[in-house]
């Protein structure tokens, strides 16, 4: 088959019986695909493509041809230029590089040169950990991922040389660092990276033989499943933690109960949400350990009511959720920018669910500013949820005001 016949056959298979119809259809397809009203393919250009010397289209045109006809230009008789690499191969390389960057700190090849490991390093890493938790509240994920990952990598290196209780102590603190890296990826909206690091957390917890950390790692896995909307998996993981509840410090039990409540909200069980959070609330005064990780229940004002309000919002209980968010936001400090932004976005969604769109838009103005500052994907995700809740008013003035607010966030991504 000659070169011009390959494209002609594809055109006819696509239902474009004339060159003019093909050029017009590809122009319309490209404008939609590229969101570019200036994209055009003329009948004269298409006629040249079906000639003996079709040349080679611009890269964006090649993408449009592939999207419209399901084949790349080199398969349609075009003359392939030197060095051409299909865009799909570029994407594969980007995925490979991204995977390498996500896993680099956790998959360092060994063995490493042996060295003396002073037990005092355990305290050093524990003290640094508390600072990272505070910085996360103030900065958001992107500025911390590299720092915390690098420290985990150092801990992993030291574990390979450490002995006895020093090694076990480093494994314990390494679990907390891996969990924080996983959280940072989750907050950045990278669920693949989050899932990978949650797996690392569980591995290191198991190696430490610490039952509290093993439970903590399972709760971390449940957090990812919550963000994926898999309520049954959340419940399964949390029930596995609570099977040996008597062996766990109250803090871990509280984390498992509140996360199970999220799972229950995903499966539509309000009574179970309240039951689990009430049980966790009764345990809260008993949290008295000095473990450096998992201290959100002590550090976060209104911790359990935050969980209850989130679950109520997920269940569509707008009025109840809105009342709880007002109580929570009254005690959350202004310095906790990222947390306040997430809570306010959920408060706005609750207002929309309660048929109060003007209040939702007013709250969303502040959220948009914080979302741009912190670059938190979780906050942008909450704004997407709010967008769905605001759809009944999308053609009204309040809906158009909300769309303008969203534009402020999306144009800065």
């Amino acid at each position: 088959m000659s070169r011009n016949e390959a494209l002609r056959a594809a055109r006819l298979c696509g239902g474009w019986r004339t060159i003019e119809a093909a050029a017009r259809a590809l122009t319309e397809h490209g404008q939609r695909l590229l969101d570019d009203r200036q994209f055009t393919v003329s009948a004269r250009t298409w006629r040249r493509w079906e000639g003996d010397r079709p040349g080679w289209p611009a890269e964006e045109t090649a993408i449009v041809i592939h999207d419209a006809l399901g084949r790349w230009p080199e398969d349609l008789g075009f003359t392939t230029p030197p060095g051409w690499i299909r865009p799909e191969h570029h994407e594969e390389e980007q995925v490979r590089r991204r995977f390498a960057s996500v896993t680099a700190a956790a998959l360092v090849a060994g063995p490493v040169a042996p060295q003396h490991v002073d037990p005092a390093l355990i305290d050093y890493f524990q003290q640094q950990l508390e600072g990272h938790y505070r910085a996360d509240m103030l900065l958001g994920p992107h500025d911390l991922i590299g720092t915390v990952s690098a420290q985990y990598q150092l801990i992993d290196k030291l574990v390979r040389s450490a002995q006895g209780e020093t090694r076990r102590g480093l494994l314990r603190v390494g679990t907390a660092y891996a969990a924080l890296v996983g959280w940072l990826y989750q907050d950045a909206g990278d669920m693949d990276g989050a899932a990978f690091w949650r797996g690392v957390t569980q591995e290191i917890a198991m190696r430490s033989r610490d039952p509290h950390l093993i439970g903590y790692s399972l709760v971390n896995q449940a957090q990812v499943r919550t963000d994926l909307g898999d309520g049954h998996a959340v419940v399964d993981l949390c029930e596995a933690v609570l099977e040996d509840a008597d062996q766990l410090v109250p803090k871990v039990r509280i984390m498992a109960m509140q996360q199970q409540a999220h799972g229950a909200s995903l499966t539509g069980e309000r009574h179970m949400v309240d039951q689990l959070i009430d049980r966790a609330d009764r345990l809260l005064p008993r949290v008295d350990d000095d473990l450096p990780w998992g201290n959100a229940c002590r550090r976060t004002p209104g911790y359990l009511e935050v969980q209850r309000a989130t679950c109520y919002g997920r269940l569509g209980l707008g009025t109840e959720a809105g009342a709880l968010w007002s109580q929570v936001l009254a005690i959350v400090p202004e310095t906790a920018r990222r947390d306040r932004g997430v809570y306010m976005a959920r408060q706005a969604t609750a207002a929309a669910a309660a048929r109060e769109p003007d209040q939702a838009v007013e709250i969303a103005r502040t959220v948009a500013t914080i979302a741009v500052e912190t670059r938190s994907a979780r906050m942008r995700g909450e704004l997407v949820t709010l967008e769905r809740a605001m759809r009944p008013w999308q053609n009204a003035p309040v809906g158009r005001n909300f769309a303008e607010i969203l534009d402020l966030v999306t144009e800065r991504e």
Side-chain angles (χ1 to χ4, degrees), residues 106 116 292 326 361 363 367:
H116 172 70
S326 295
V361 170
I363 297 168
V367 176

PDB file of all heavy atoms in Angstrom, residues 106 116 292 326 361 363 367:
ATOM      1  N   ALA A 106      13.932   4.791  49.741  1.00  0.00           N
ATOM      2  CA  ALA A 106      13.562   3.545  50.414  1.00  0.00           C
ATOM      3  C   ALA A 106      14.220   2.311  49.810  1.00  0.00           C
ATOM      4  O   ALA A 106      14.270   1.269  50.456  1.00  0.00           O
ATOM      5  CB  ALA A 106      12.043   3.377  50.380  1.00  0.00           C
ATOM      6  N   HIS A 116      30.105   2.780  63.106  1.00  0.00           N
ATOM      7  CA  HIS A 116      29.613   2.811  64.481  1.00  0.00           C
ATOM      8  C   HIS A 116      28.349   3.668  64.532  1.00  0.00           C
ATOM      9  O   HIS A 116      28.292   4.746  63.942  1.00  0.00           O
ATOM     10  CB  HIS A 116      30.679   3.393  65.412  1.00  0.00           C
ATOM     11  CG  HIS A 116      30.154   3.634  66.795  1.00  0.00           C
ATOM     12  ND1 HIS A 116      29.826   2.617  67.669  1.00  0.00           N
ATOM     13  CD2 HIS A 116      29.867   4.801  67.456  1.00  0.00           C
ATOM     14  CE1 HIS A 116      29.371   3.123  68.799  1.00  0.00           C
ATOM     15  NE2 HIS A 116      29.393   4.446  68.689  1.00  0.00           N
ATOM     16  N   PRO A 292       6.976   9.522  70.036  1.00  0.00           N
ATOM     17  CA  PRO A 292       7.062  10.767  69.259  1.00  0.00           C
ATOM     18  C   PRO A 292       6.173  10.810  68.028  1.00  0.00           C
ATOM     19  O   PRO A 292       6.112  11.829  67.354  1.00  0.00           O
ATOM     20  CB  PRO A 292       8.545  10.800  68.845  1.00  0.00           C
ATOM     21  CG  PRO A 292       8.919   9.357  68.718  1.00  0.00           C
ATOM     22  CD  PRO A 292       8.141   8.645  69.802  1.00  0.00           C
ATOM     23  N   SER A 326     -18.066  24.857  62.613  1.00  0.00           N
ATOM     24  CA  SER A 326     -18.003  26.172  63.276  1.00  0.00           C
ATOM     25  C   SER A 326     -17.326  26.047  64.641  1.00  0.00           C
ATOM     26  O   SER A 326     -16.511  26.896  65.023  1.00  0.00           O
ATOM     27  CB  SER A 326     -19.411  26.754  63.436  1.00  0.00           C
ATOM     28  OG  SER A 326     -19.978  27.028  62.167  1.00  0.00           O
ATOM     29  N   VAL A 361     -19.756  30.067  49.186  1.00  0.00           N
ATOM     30  CA  VAL A 361     -18.868  30.856  48.334  1.00  0.00           C
ATOM     31  C   VAL A 361     -17.996  31.783  49.175  1.00  0.00           C
ATOM     32  O   VAL A 361     -16.796  31.949  48.904  1.00  0.00           O
ATOM     33  CB  VAL A 361     -19.684  31.651  47.296  1.00  0.00           C
ATOM     34  CG1 VAL A 361     -18.810  32.660  46.579  1.00  0.00           C
ATOM     35  CG2 VAL A 361     -20.327  30.699  46.307  1.00  0.00           C
ATOM     36  N   ILE A 363     -16.909  31.324  52.203  1.00  0.00           N
ATOM     37  CA  ILE A 363     -15.860  30.510  52.828  1.00  0.00           C
ATOM     38  C   ILE A 363     -14.824  30.103  51.783  1.00  0.00           C
ATOM     39  O   ILE A 363     -13.618  30.110  52.043  1.00  0.00           O
ATOM     40  CB  ILE A 363     -16.474  29.260  53.493  1.00  0.00           C
ATOM     41  CG1 ILE A 363     -17.416  29.664  54.624  1.00  0.00           C
ATOM     42  CG2 ILE A 363     -15.380  28.329  54.020  1.00  0.00           C
ATOM     43  CD1 ILE A 363     -18.279  28.520  55.139  1.00  0.00           C
ATOM     44  N   VAL A 367     -10.470  29.764  51.345  1.00  0.00           N
ATOM     45  CA  VAL A 367      -9.869  28.463  51.048  1.00  0.00           C
ATOM     46  C   VAL A 367      -8.986  28.558  49.804  1.00  0.00           C
ATOM     47  O   VAL A 367      -7.883  27.994  49.761  1.00  0.00           O
ATOM     48  CB  VAL A 367     -10.949  27.383  50.849  1.00  0.00           C
ATOM     49  CG1 VAL A 367     -10.307  26.051  50.450  1.00  0.00           C
ATOM     50  CG2 VAL A 367     -11.780  27.204  52.110  1.00  0.00           C
TER      51      VAL A 367
END
